């Protein structure tokens, strides 16, 4: 999703706290959300980048702020969510999941440990098969990291930060904190990390995330 606050472009990608941020900004700031529903590619609408917005709106932005999430955190959370939340959808004949590629990912997540799932996930490099976090970051000048949201929000959007964000329940973002630590440590192997991290070297460096496998073990 893209939004405009004064002369700044805000880019929110699913899985990075984007819904909470959008709701907060709608309530506490005067933002403009461009209507890109005319774009036939739903993936482009959900993962739109700076260059896409500038082309569609025919204008330039000097400041672009993107919501981000550590890729290791993101993929592990997706695997866990598929095994717990989305798995329940499989038994519902009318569920949206039967019309989505998420069904394929979920079935595999139920059968595989995290290491096997993520290696299998990246074995097909076609863009249509990938769950994505972060391709929108290029050109961004500031980041709202899901793991460091309050501090980053205060720094990037200080003029609308008039109360501690912790006071707003809408910003209690679901992330790895609701996953049992023992599960993470038993499933997040070096092989799994080595399948993820090399694909996000530039992203991790730009956003301040580590590219060292041992930092996640």
């Amino acid at each position: 999703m893209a939004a405009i606050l004064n002369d700044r472009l805000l880019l929110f990608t699913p899985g990075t706290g984007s819904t909470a941020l959008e709701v907060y900004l709608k309530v506490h700031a005067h933002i403009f959300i461009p209507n890109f529903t005319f774009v036939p590619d739903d993936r482009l609408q959900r993962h739109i980048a700076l260059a896409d917005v500038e082309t569609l709106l025919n204008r330039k932005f000097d400041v672009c702020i993107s919501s981000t999430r550590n890729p290791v955190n993101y993929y592990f959370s997706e695997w866990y969510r598929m095994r717990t939340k989305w798995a329940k959808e499989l038994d519902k004949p009318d569920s949206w999941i039967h019309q989505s590629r998420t069904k394929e990912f979920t079935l595999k997540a139920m059968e595989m440990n995290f290491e096997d799932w993520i290696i299998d996930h990246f074995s097909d490099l076609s863009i249509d098969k990938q769950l994505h976090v972060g391709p929108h970051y290029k050109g961004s000048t500031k980041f709202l990291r899901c793991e460091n949201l309050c501090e980053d929000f205060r720094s990037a959007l200080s003029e609308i930060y008039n109360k501690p964000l912790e006071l707003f329940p809408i910003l209690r973002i679901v992330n790895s904190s609701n996953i049992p630590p023992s599960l993470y440590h038993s499933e997040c192997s070096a092989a799994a990390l080595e399948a993820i991290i090399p694909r996000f070297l530039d992203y991790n460096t730009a956003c301040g995330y580590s590219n060292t496998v041992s930092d996640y073990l």
Side-chain angles (χ1 to χ4, degrees):
M1 187 205 80
I4 298 172
L5 177 61
N6 298 328
D7 293 325
R8 289 165 294 182
L9 178 66
L10 311 176
L11 297 177
F12 303 136
T13 291
T16 64
S18 56
T19 300
L21 286 165
E22 179 184 350
V23 171
Y24 179 91
L25 289 168
K26 283 181 178 178
V27 173
H28 298 282
H30 298 290
I31 62 170
F32 168 70
I33 301 178
N35 183 359
F36 293 135
T37 54
F38 63 88
V39 180
D41 187 350
D42 177 66
R43 180 173 292 275
L44 176 60
Q45 293 179 38
R46 291 167 57 81
H47 300 272
I48 199 162
L50 172 62
D52 300 319
V53 176
E54 290 185 331
T55 298
L56 291 167
L57 296 181
N58 192 28
R59 62 175 291 188
K60 295 291 184 180
F61 293 91
D62 293 330
V63 177
C64 178
I65 303 170
S66 295
S67 66
T68 69
R69 187 171 185 175
N70 186 308
V72 173
N73 181 323
Y74 173 82
Y75 283 105
F76 192 84
S77 296
E78 286 295 309
W79 172 79
Y80 181 76
R81 177 171 14 198
M82 289 174 185
R83 292 168 64 93
T84 53
K85 185 176 181 179
W86 299 149
K88 298 175 182 178
E89 296 292 323
L90 295 173
D91 295 329
K92 302 175 183 178
D94 298 329
S95 173
W96 59 270
I97 201 169
H98 299 295
Q99 308 299 322
S100 169
R101 294 297 299 275
T102 303
K103 179 177 181 178
E104 174 189 342
F105 302 142
T106 299
L107 288 170
K108 288 186 176 182
M110 294 170 64
E111 298 171 355
M112 300 177 177
N113 61 25
F114 179 65
E115 178 182 312
D116 291 341
W117 180 81
I118 198 63
I119 291 174
D120 174 80
H121 182 70
F122 284 125
S123 65
D124 182 349
L125 298 182
S126 65
I127 193 166
D128 287 340
K129 190 182 177 184
Q130 302 306 314
L131 297 168
H132 283 282
V133 61
H136 62 296
Y137 82 97
K138 293 184 178 180
S140 296
T141 52
K142 295 184 178 182
F143 303 99
L144 300 177
R145 294 168 293 181
C146 182
E147 302 81 3
N148 200 42
L149 183 59
C150 291
E151 181 179 332
D152 289 352
F153 193 102
R154 187 184 297 115
S155 172
L157 298 165
S158 58
E159 78 278 15
I160 61 171
Y161 184 91
N162 51 19
K163 294 181 180 180
L165 291 180
E166 296 91 336
L167 297 180
F168 297 95
I170 194 66
L171 285 176
R172 293 174 186 164
I173 297 171
V174 176
N175 55 36
S176 59
S177 63
N178 69 339
I179 298 173
S182 59
L183 179 64
Y184 174 87
H185 290 298
S186 65
E187 291 285 349
C188 212
S189 64
L193 293 167
E194 287 167 357
I196 300 172
I197 293 174
R199 301 175 185 277
F200 294 92
L201 296 177
D202 292 343
Y203 175 79
N204 285 342
T205 299
C207 301
Y209 299 127
S210 174
N211 282 318
T212 304
V213 169
S214 60
D215 287 344
Y216 298 96
L217 293 174

